[in-house]
Amino acid sequence: MATLRDLLRELIEELIKTQTPGSFPEKVDGVTVMSGFISTGQGGSLMLSRPMEQLISQIAQILRQNAPTVFLSHTEKEWLQLVRGAFGPPLALIDLTDDLGSNADQVLAAVRQTLSESTVKGSTCEYAFGCTLFASKAVEAFAIGPVRFEARLEWLARKLGEGAVTAIMARRLRRRWAGQKNRKRKHLVDGMRETDIVDAVGSCDYICSVMTGGLASQAGEMKSRTAARLALTAIAIWWEVPSRALDGMNLLVDRTVRIQRSLAFVPGKITLSGGTLLGRPHGPPISPKEWADLLARVGDELKVVGELIEFYLSPTGAVGRPKLMNALAQALLWFHEGCREQVDLMAIVKFAATLDALASGGESSGILKLIQARLGPKPSDPIRANGQTAKQGVEEIYSKGRSRTMHGTNENLGHDWTSTRGFSEVIARYCLISCLGWAATNASDDPKLLLQ
């Protein structure tokens, strides 16, 4: 396998080849192709051949492997762009008649220095998403770690105070959200910014904001959306059927209320089309006082959720209790996916994954230990109204539902799994809440202690 130094030598050799007249434009299979450019600073640029692009891509992969935190702070595409841009100035500065190895060392040192400076800077950024939350528009702003929920007018007032929007924009947005029309903006840029806000919020009464730091732009946006989903799930989990509550708690970028249409034809009959309403316009009805009371009651558990979201958004992973937060974050994410899933059997797979994450991957036996430690019932104790024991229940969820489906050996694929889905959601919910409560009162970073 080629080393970094070997790849740098090849890159410089390819650069030397491009100095030959007629090197550009390049042709592939007789067809002229457009070559790429990178900036060399001070208005200059350097044309890259296809072999050079491929070599830079290989170098970027090796540099990424040698810098583990980059996996947290940048997408692969962003990292490649960063590395690619870092080659411009040093490639332009070297003397191509000098020793190849010496030039390779010089370029590599300069690239590493540029990357070090770029990744350390890490700016703070706040991402905002329109979302549906509660029927009441009067619920006061609240935060779950770095995720904040506000009524859109409250959000607008905060942004006006921070100088993120102008007074004119704020006034026009209030009119727009009140159902009134505005005249076209004379200032083009302000008009575009105003339109961006209108499109991002839509008809949502609430806005979810996620604060990040040290993440590249694309990585920050992607991770902030997931962080928002984790926070919404942490809210919905306090209702008896979280999936039903979460059905009305959505980011605008994810889901909207819609009717799923289907056409059915029966021989010899004229039938009408059927439709199923998917999604709800908002979450469960709750008054501002009721929500404030609930927040006060479950505040400790939500602090843990905030902690696990901070872990997920960390650009370095160097946060308190990373092992426990990693397990809890994955469990909450699997629970979110189970609640969102439309296929019952797939939802069971995801709720089983929630339990497995909380049980440190201990499979059926680990889940039984988790249930006994966190909820009380022993494997032989009845756990359902039909007399089913905890062991039988886990067998139904994990072995018959999850494992056989994952391995392609489920002979009951076409059966109605509605009841098992509901049961798996209930067990996963209770275990998740109990584990959050345990984490709130125990400072340990060992997720295996959740089984004791």
Side-chain angles (χ1 to χ4, degrees):
M1 182 177 177
T3 65
L4 269 177
R5 198 166 186 271
D6 292 335
L7 293 174
L8 261 296
R9 289 169 63 94
E10 289 184 51
L11 180 64
I12 296 171
E13 287 176 339
E14 289 295 332
L15 177 60
I16 294 172
K17 291 179 184 178
T18 64
Q19 308 306 304
T20 305
S23 298
F24 296 103
E26 293 180 280
K27 289 188 177 181
V28 177
D29 297 330
V31 178
T32 300
V33 296
M34 181 69 72
S35 301
F37 292 84
I38 53 175
S39 171
T40 59
Q42 299 180 341
S45 62
L46 180 68
M47 189 174 289
L48 300 178
S49 65
R50 280 168 126 33
M52 290 177 70
E53 294 277 18
Q54 293 170 356
L55 286 165
I56 290 176
S57 179
Q58 293 178 55
I59 292 168
Q61 291 177 18
I62 294 176
L63 290 172
R64 190 166 182 256
Q65 292 291 337
N66 295 338
T69 59
V70 169
F71 287 85
L72 297 173
S73 59
H74 293 70
T75 63
E76 286 190 44
K77 183 178 180 181
E78 285 176 315
W79 179 249
L80 175 58
Q81 291 173 341
L82 187 61
V83 172
R84 188 175 180 272
F87 272 99
L91 285 179
L93 289 174
I94 58 174
D95 186 338
L96 296 181
T97 62
D98 286 349
D99 175 71
L100 197 60
S102 176
N103 273 341
D105 292 339
Q106 181 181 334
V107 171
L108 181 58
V111 167
R112 279 180 163 154
Q113 178 64 29
T114 299
L115 294 177
S116 175
E117 293 172 355
S118 299
T119 53
V120 166
K121 289 178 182 177
S123 60
T124 297
C125 186
E126 180 181 326
Y127 296 90
F129 309 96
C131 74
T132 56
L133 197 58
F134 303 125
S136 172
K137 303 176 185 179
V139 171
E140 292 186 4
F142 65 95
I144 301 176
V147 183
R148 183 179 180 86
F149 294 93
E150 299 163 285
R152 63 186 181 186
L153 290 178
E154 192 173 357
W155 173 87
L156 183 60
R158 178 168 66 86
K159 286 296 157 190
L160 178 60
E162 294 172 354
V165 300
T166 65
I168 295 175
M169 287 176 61
R171 184 172 66 251
R172 288 171 60 88
L173 286 168
R174 291 191 196 98
R175 284 175 54 84
R176 181 71 175 264
W177 289 338
Q180 300 174 359
K181 291 185 177 181
N182 289 313
R183 283 185 287 186
K184 187 176 180 180
R185 290 298 302 264
K186 294 181 180 180
H187 196 285
L188 180 61
V189 175
D190 282 351
M192 292 173 63
R193 292 176 62 209
E194 189 177 308
T195 299
D196 287 343
I197 293 174
V198 170
D199 291 344
V201 176
S203 60
C204 298
D205 291 321
Y206 286 88
I207 294 179
C208 174
S209 304
V210 183
M211 186 65 70
T212 67
L215 299 177
S217 176
Q218 190 177 45
E221 183 178 357
M222 291 172 58
K223 296 184 80 169
S224 64
R225 285 199 297 266
T226 299
R229 295 175 189 126
L230 291 172
L232 286 171
T233 308
I235 296 170
I237 203 172
W238 301 104
W239 272 263
E240 186 175 352
V241 184
S243 57
R244 192 178 302 161
L246 198 58
D247 204 28
M249 298 177 181
N250 298 289
L251 300 180
L252 183 62
V253 295
D254 286 342
R255 300 176 63 176
T256 56
V257 179
R258 61 204 184 279
I259 296 178
Q260 189 178 60
R261 294 289 185 187
S262 61
L263 298 174
F265 297 92
V266 179
K269 292 184 180 181
I270 298 177
T271 60
L272 296 175
S273 64
T276 302
L277 183 67
L278 295 180
R280 300 186 181 194
H282 51 70
I286 188 170
S287 71
K289 184 180 184 308
E290 289 172 330
W291 174 244
D293 291 343
L294 179 58
L295 269 182
R297 193 166 67 250
V298 302
D300 291 342
E301 287 85 350
L302 290 182
K303 283 181 182 178
V304 175
V305 174
E307 187 181 350
L308 69 85
I309 293 176
E310 288 174 353
F311 161 79
Y312 174 73
L313 292 175
S314 171
T316 63
V319 298
R321 304 199 290 177
K323 294 179 182 178
L324 180 61
M325 292 304 114
N326 188 41
L328 292 175
Q330 291 184 65
L332 188 60
L333 186 57
W334 274 119
F335 191 81
H336 169 272
E337 294 302 302
C339 288
R340 296 296 195 195
E341 179 60 60
Q342 293 188 45
V343 180
D344 290 335
L345 194 53
M346 292 298 101
I348 294 167
V349 170
K350 293 171 180 179
F351 287 131
T354 300
L355 294 168
D356 210 16
L358 295 174
S360 296
E363 302 182 335
S364 296
S365 59
I367 294 173
L368 285 171
K369 291 179 182 177
L370 176 75
I371 291 173
Q372 183 173 347
R374 303 271 57 86
L375 306 183
K378 299 176 182 178
S380 59
D381 290 344
I383 200 171
R384 299 180 75 178
N386 61 6
Q388 188 179 58
T389 65
K391 184 176 182 180
Q392 292 169 334
V394 171
E395 169 76 14
E396 182 180 336
I397 294 171
Y398 195 85
S399 299
K400 296 179 181 178
R402 180 263 185 199
S403 295
R404 292 184 186 178
T405 302
M406 293 285 288
H407 298 148
T409 58
N410 194 333
E411 298 177 352
N412 300 318
L413 180 65
H415 287 202
D416 181 4
W417 290 86
T418 306
S419 176
T420 306
R421 174 183 184 154
F423 173 57
S424 63
E425 180 176 348
V426 168
I427 292 298
R429 174 189 178 238
Y430 280 130
C431 285
L432 192 49
I433 289 175
S434 179
C435 288
L436 291 174
W438 182 91
T441 56
N442 291 270
S444 172
D445 187 36
D446 186 357
K448 292 183 178 180
L449 293 181
L450 293 172
L451 311 184
Q452 297 179 9

